[in-house]
Amino acid sequence: MDHETVPAGDGRRRIARTDVLLRDPRLAQAAGRLGRGVVKAAVVAAQRRARAGEIAPDAVADAAVEALPATASGLRPVINATGVLLHTNLGRAPLSDAAREAVAAASRATDVELDLETGRRARRGRSVLAALVERVPQAEAAHVVNNGAAALVLAATALAGDREIVISRGEMVEIGDGFRIPELLAATGARLREVGTTNRTAPDDYAAAVGEETGFILKVHPSNFRMTGFTRGADVAELTGLGVPVVADIGSGLLAPEPLLPDEPDAASMLKAGAHLVTASGDKLLGGPQCGLVLGRDDLVRRLARHPLARALRVGKLTLAALEATLRGPRTPTDEALHADAAALRERAGRLAARLRDEGVDAMAVESEAAVGGGGAPGVVLPSAAVSVPGGCAARLRRGTPAVMGRVEDGRCLLDLRSVPPGQDGELAGAVRAAAR
């Protein structure tokens, strides 16, 4: 039997068997969409609640239907109301509608490595590589791997191997979750030649270290912190005449200068300054899917692309589709959030708060400060506005449907609207109402 033996007269005996519940038309239909295992798990959980007295025995089917996930994946959609535009724990950049449509189309059979005119094999991702070079004409060629760290690892392996990489001590940073640039590079078999000091490294320091064993000079943008005071660093332009390639890891994924972020490096400017290769992430300020970008001199990009490791680090057709749609399509949600008008955000917050107050929710519109996030633009403050609700709502918002992630300050839960697309205001209001109840 699918239910435990209970004494006669116990209401729990009225709990229907699993096989009976699975024949409920709603659950049977869901099994065809989500899979029988997913639906059965929801049924068993609802039966358990009934046995514990949390719900009535005749409410098990309804509870199971209500608990069914939207998809067969364990990933749940989240409204990002943290004010951090590129929240690493929430998947960084949200994809544009164009990118999502491209992913849906690419989920079927596609011509990812086939020339439909000739019927022969074609270069993988050729259209997205062309789109990258179109967006960054300073680059002779481009290559795509599965994330920013992979781009740097591939460069180190293909260009340095068991040779030396010259790097400033001030740029040997930790990139998150305990991963550090020195350890990442050492894992490729390359040897690190550290130059300068933590706070000061001059061009002469690099020049003195370059020799026959040098594979390349690496410039790493310390994107997740700022160093001020008695500091000195060498620009890419000061290093390009030393006879070895210069690789610039810019991290944030800007392809061109962004006036709002004047201190954030971009691929076009680095290549114009003389960098031979630039590596970056696609899921940060570019606003695309998780991937790593390599842009630069044709012969060097080809060395990376033909290295055996490139096969292990390559991206799938869904990433290629999303990246190309990001490059060729309309403005991304990240770009729209970055350039959102502060006055318009205040108006949105005022309307939402008034609407919630009319429904009995303790809500108010407040000034807020947002951030770029994703290890980019440290210290840059983006003026914003938020809806402030009782702090006790924070956990209920996270557990609700849709899940909402805000931030708690001074005992209040702030729902920062710079990171929430305007089209999600209705969902956000509904989630707050449910959490307030």
Side-chain angles (χ1 to χ4, degrees), residues 240-302:
T240 55
L242 297 180
V244 296
V246 176
V247 177
D249 179 49
I250 62 171
S252 69
L254 273 182
L255 299 186
E258 169 50 64
L260 287 179
L261 308 172
D263 296 327
E264 199 68 16
D266 65 276
S269 297
M270 289 293 103
L271 291 169
K272 192 179 297 184
H276 300 90
L277 282 183
V278 170
T279 61
S281 295
D283 58 345
K284 295 184 181 178
L285 287 168
L286 178 59
Q290 176 183 301
C291 60
L293 311 178
V294 180
L295 298 150
R297 211 169 74 186
D298 182 65
D299 61 324
L300 297 180
V301 173
R302 277 191 282 109

Side-chain angles (χ1 to χ4, degrees), residues 334-406:
T334 298
D335 187 62
E336 291 176 348
L338 181 65
H339 292 90
D341 180 66
L345 292 173
R346 287 192 293 270
E347 290 178 10
R348 280 177 60 197
R351 287 195 303 271
L352 267 174
R355 178 176 167 186
L356 290 167
R357 281 197 305 273
D358 289 344
E359 297 168 354
V361 179
D362 175 10
M364 65 184 79
V366 297
E367 299 281 333
S368 181
E369 293 183 347
V372 172
V380 173
V381 175
L382 303 172
S384 188
V387 175
S388 170
V389 297
C393 290
R396 294 192 291 274
L397 283 166
R398 290 198 309 271
R399 298 169 185 147
T401 303
V404 177
M405 186 72 182

Side-chain angles (χ1 to χ4, degrees), residues 92 128-129 132 142-155 249-253 255 278-284 286 288-295 301 304 310 313-316 319-320 323 327:
R92 291 185 180 158
V128 72
L129 299 179
L132 273 168
H143 186 65
V144 181
V145 291
N146 58 12
N147 63 25
L152 188 53
V153 163
L154 183 58
D249 179 49
I250 62 171
S252 69
L255 299 186
V278 170
T279 61
S281 295
D283 58 345
K284 295 184 181 178
L286 178 59
Q290 176 183 301
C291 60
L293 311 178
V294 180
L295 298 150
V301 173
L304 269 63
L313 301 178
R314 76 179 189 179
V315 296
T319 299
L320 292 172
L323 178 58
L327 293 166

